[in-house]
Amino acid sequence: MTDFLQNHFLSADSQYEQCDVCIVGLPYDGTSSFRPGSRFGPNAIRKASWGMETYSPNLQRDLSDLKICDLGDLEIPFGNKEMALAKIREAIGRIIDDGKYPVLLGGEHLITLPIVEGFRDRFHDLAVVQLDAHIDLRDEYLGETLSHSTVMRRVLEVIGAGGLFQFGIRSGSREEFSYANTIGSLYEFSEDGLHRAMRTIGNKPLYISLDLDVLDPSILPGTGNPEPGGINFNEMIRGLQILGKAHVIGFDVVELSPGHDPSEVSSIVASQLIREMILNYWSK
Ligand SMILES: [Mn+2]
């Protein structure tokens, strides 16, 4: 049957077996501390995506030229954090092993940890770019070592110091900033800063984690922990393009909390960024 709109991302109408790019929703928000609701992110992105064109005039590429599949949301046992993370890690591993290009929709930022573990088991010398307002380098938060505010500290343990490149950071504790300065992970989100990171990353496989709160709350209020003074849309588009000079092996877009933006513009911004990222980063 044709002519029926389904609840999948725009143009993601391939079957899994045939697809090159595989979109997966990871609707986990179990450790959100301030304003939960990012479990509703993936479906809000899917819905908003139908309002945009498949064609990017900026890149002169079209989603409809790609074979994209949207698997829907992974079923996650919400009350059991370890089991939720293990399930995500296993799902990501299967998608990579099947030769698909993974595009992951959060969910809160903790989901990046099992994703990075899945990539680390399969790619040597992995680099991770974090686009985020928050530094997320606490060793523990409220007595927990696994949390949205400790996630990049755990990621560092997985990939090793020197593998993490943080952009857009404007919130964190004194201790976290001093730790970041000792390992040299902070970069300015500017053409200079991005090119500098690109030179260090070189030919390494690169995973990108885009926490949407890196954007200014005036264009993306629908997130759990908004921070004023963020990046605007055109700066982000330009930055994502520069990151495309590296070998980007997959990415996540996390922390959209659609319930906090009745205008739905946040979801529209998120879906446009995902279109640009797919068209920027996927190549045969
Ligand atoms: Mn954040």
Side-chain angles (χ1 to χ4, degrees), residues 50-240:
W50 289 86
M52 68 179 173
E53 299 282 354
T54 57
Y55 180 67
S56 164
N58 175 40
L59 297 168
Q60 300 177 26
R61 288 177 215 152
D62 199 313
L63 286 181
S64 60
D65 294 335
L66 274 53
K67 286 193 251 125
I68 309 172
C69 158
D70 184 345
L71 283 180
D73 283 2
L74 184 68
E75 244 188 323
I76 288 171
F78 271 97
N80 187 325
K81 185 163 50 180
E82 279 72 21
M83 202 193 273
L85 299 187
K87 209 169 165 188
I88 293 172
R89 188 164 49 239
E90 197 253 311
I92 300 310
R94 243 185 310 150
I95 292 164
I96 302 171
D97 289 344
D98 288 341
K100 314 297 184 188
Y101 192 94
V103 172
L104 297 323
L105 313 181
E108 63 156 82
H109 215 160
L110 183 57
I111 64 159
T112 300
L113 175 62
I115 299 170
V116 166
E117 288 169 336
F119 275 101
R120 181 269 328 258
D121 292 343
R122 292 161 178 87
F123 289 87
H124 180 62
D125 225 4
L126 185 66
V128 173
V129 160
Q130 172 199 5
L131 304 162
D132 198 337
H134 307 98
I135 196 161
D136 290 347
L137 286 175
R138 280 192 163 86
D139 196 33
E140 60 163 61
Y141 185 62
L142 305 175
E144 299 241 48
T145 53
L146 291 173
S147 155
H148 65 97
S149 25
T150 65
V151 60
M152 288 302 151
R153 189 65 173 257
R154 299 290 90 81
V155 162
L156 265 174
E157 291 165 359
V158 172
I159 60 173
L164 179 64
F165 301 80
Q166 302 182 288
F167 293 90
I169 309 296
R170 55 192 183 276
S171 172
S173 70
R174 189 202 305 254
E175 291 74 22
E176 287 173 287
F177 274 99
S178 114
Y179 179 72
N181 286 328
T182 52
I183 60 167
S185 58
L186 291 175
Y187 286 77
E188 200 184 312
F189 190 89
S190 63
E191 300 222 355
D192 253 22
L194 288 155
H195 284 298
R196 198 158 60 83
M198 287 295 98
R199 282 194 293 275
T200 309
I201 292 167
N203 295 323
K204 287 182 190 173
L206 172 64
Y207 181 77
I208 298 178
S209 180
L210 170 57
D211 183 333
L212 290 162
D213 64 33
V214 72
L215 296 165
D216 193 77
S218 59
I219 61 160
L220 198 130
T223 189
N225 208 342
E227 295 286 346
I231 294 162
N232 75 37
F233 187 78
N234 290 331
E235 288 168 340
M236 180 52 70
I237 290 291
R238 176 76 192 120
L240 292 174

